[in-house]
Amino acid sequence: MERSLTLLPLIMFGISFMALGTVFSTYGIAAKLTHGMVPSAYILALVAMFFTALSYGKMASAYPVAGSAYTYVQKSISPFAGFLVGWSILVDYLLLPMVNYLIFGTFLHAAIPGVPKFIWILGMIILVTFVNVRGVKLATKVNFLINAFSALFIILFCFFSIKYMVTNEGAFSLFTLTPFYQPEAGFSAVIAGASILCFSFLGFDSITTFAEEVKNPTKVLPKAILIITFSGGAIFTLVAYLAQIVYPNYASFSDPDSASYVIIQSVGGSFLASLFIVMISIGCFGSAMVSQASVGRLLYSMGRDGVLPKRIFGFIHPKYKTPFNNLLIVSAISLASLFINMATATSLINFGALLAFTCVNLSVIAHFYLRRKERSITGTIQYLLFPIVGMVSDVWLLCNLASYSLTLGIVWFCIGLVYLMVITKAFKQRPPEIQMDSVENL
């Protein structure tokens, strides 16, 4: 693949995958769970994700190839474990575009009822696939426009919220600890909110799948991962804080899913509410574009290794230098968004992400602390203590998933285990894997 990405475009990809508008779509549910302490829940989620982001940065520097968690675990722990992690995260990446298509179709159909939902979904699938097939250069330009509009909306929301508070409550009302601490609610409420809101940070990990299209990936990837994580956390916390002080009566929301729309309409009227619909739609397009591109590259890495049929999944388009077949396959799978519901689509995503996060933390310990013996005081902190904190945080969040998410995730994992048993002849042979010296320009 062609190395054309630098730091800023890579950050834009991660922000698009993360979708800044997520803070609005999850606010109502989080507000009820946390009893109005959404900013505290975001800070806790950011702390948990920070240690995992550090681990991704370390492993991306050690193995700057397209396989992400799949490659990190494969090379540092075991090719068997690597396949199972790749298999688990695969369903995460495969379903994320579908979720965005569902949200896009739902919002646009609600705004323009005369156009059937399936038309919006099909149109978006075709457009996203076209952009991704043409390569990261075109996708980069589209990303800048998407993120610019999302940033503009968030700035406008902050402006209208501050103006609303100053006009109605006075300037001093902007400074309060109430959104961070509610005496009548325990810390368990914040933990419950963080277990949901940590998924708002999904995106920092996805950019590692672009490693073979990044200039100087060993330095650029770790920087981008941390910038994306902290930028997302800061924006989410600020928006949640303003939403809480503008509309403190979180218990009055009749429908938590539309809580943000009520708040936005209260502070900005129909003008800001209309922009919100546009922002959510554009954000879904950006997230779908990046998530489709990410899974296309993960499939390419597994196909190149030979754990998936190489002729199909290991193919790179000779002109556009993109995993053409994989992008078409992901688009075909995304057609399921025409009849699947949101609950089913999202139930598998969380399981695969947190399992991969846990194993990437473990990979840092295996690669740096055990194999390379980085055991000085600094090395012990970076390569043992920090990954353990990240791993414990991820396992804790994994255990707090809804029972149906765990059940479906385990079923998918078991299917992968059976497939692995078949291709390795009952684990007697090692799974195929690419040799690092065969990847150019590392």
Side-chain angles (χ1 to χ4, degrees), residues 34-37 40 177-187 190 244 248 250:
T34 61
H35 299 279
M37 296 183 288
S40 292
L177 293 177
T178 303
F180 296 99
Y181 176 68
Q182 299 280 355
E184 70 277 6
F187 187 66
V190 177
Q244 178 60 29
Y250 61 88

Side-chain angles (χ1 to χ4, degrees), residues 87-103:
W87 180 267
S88 299
I89 199 71
L90 182 61
V91 72
D92 177 6
Y93 287 158
L94 279 172
L95 294 185
L96 272 170
M98 188 187 305
V99 170
N100 285 288
Y101 296 138
L102 279 169
I103 296 173

Side-chain angles (χ1 to χ4, degrees), residues 51-63:
F51 292 100
T52 297
L54 282 178
S55 291
Y56 264 91
K58 298 295 183 186
M59 296 309 296
S61 180
Y63 298 108

Side-chain angles (χ1 to χ4, degrees), residues 193-211:
S195 66
I196 291 178
L197 296 178
C198 70
F199 305 119
S200 301
F201 292 86
L202 292 179
F204 72 83
D205 60 311
S206 68
I207 63 170
T208 57
T209 60
F210 293 91

Side-chain angles (χ1 to χ4, degrees), residues 336-383:
S337 57
L338 295 172
F339 53 83
I340 199 171
N341 60 52
M342 187 70 70
T344 303
T346 56
S347 59
L348 278 171
I349 291 174
N350 300 337
F351 180 89
L354 286 173
L355 181 63
F357 289 177
T358 301
C359 292
V360 169
N361 281 301
L362 188 60
S363 295
V364 172
I365 299 173
H367 179 76
F368 291 98
Y369 191 77
L370 298 179
R371 183 178 301 169
R372 292 179 50 176
K373 301 187 185 300
E374 301 276 358
R375 298 176 184 176
S376 63
I377 295 177
T378 303
T380 300
I381 293 173
Q382 289 187 51
Y383 306 125

Side-chain angles (χ1 to χ4, degrees), residues 195 354 392-403 406:
S195 66
L354 286 173
V392 170
S393 301
D394 294 331
V395 170
W396 164 65
L397 293 169
L398 183 63
C399 293
N400 278 277
L401 289 176
S403 58
L406 289 171

Side-chain angles (χ1 to χ4, degrees), residues 5-16 18 53-54 56-58 60-61 201 203-211 214-233:
L5 290 176
T6 54
L7 179 62
L8 186 57
L10 197 60
I11 291 171
M12 291 297 102
F13 273 114
I15 294 294
S16 284
M18 189 179 288
L54 282 178
Y56 264 91
K58 298 295 183 186
S61 180
F201 292 86
F204 72 83
D205 60 311
S206 68
I207 63 170
T208 57
T209 60
F210 293 91
V214 177
K215 296 178 180 179
N216 198 6
T218 57
K219 293 184 178 180
V220 171
L221 278 169
K223 288 181 182 178
I225 289 169
L226 290 179
I227 290 171
I228 291 166
T229 304
F230 277 105
S231 298

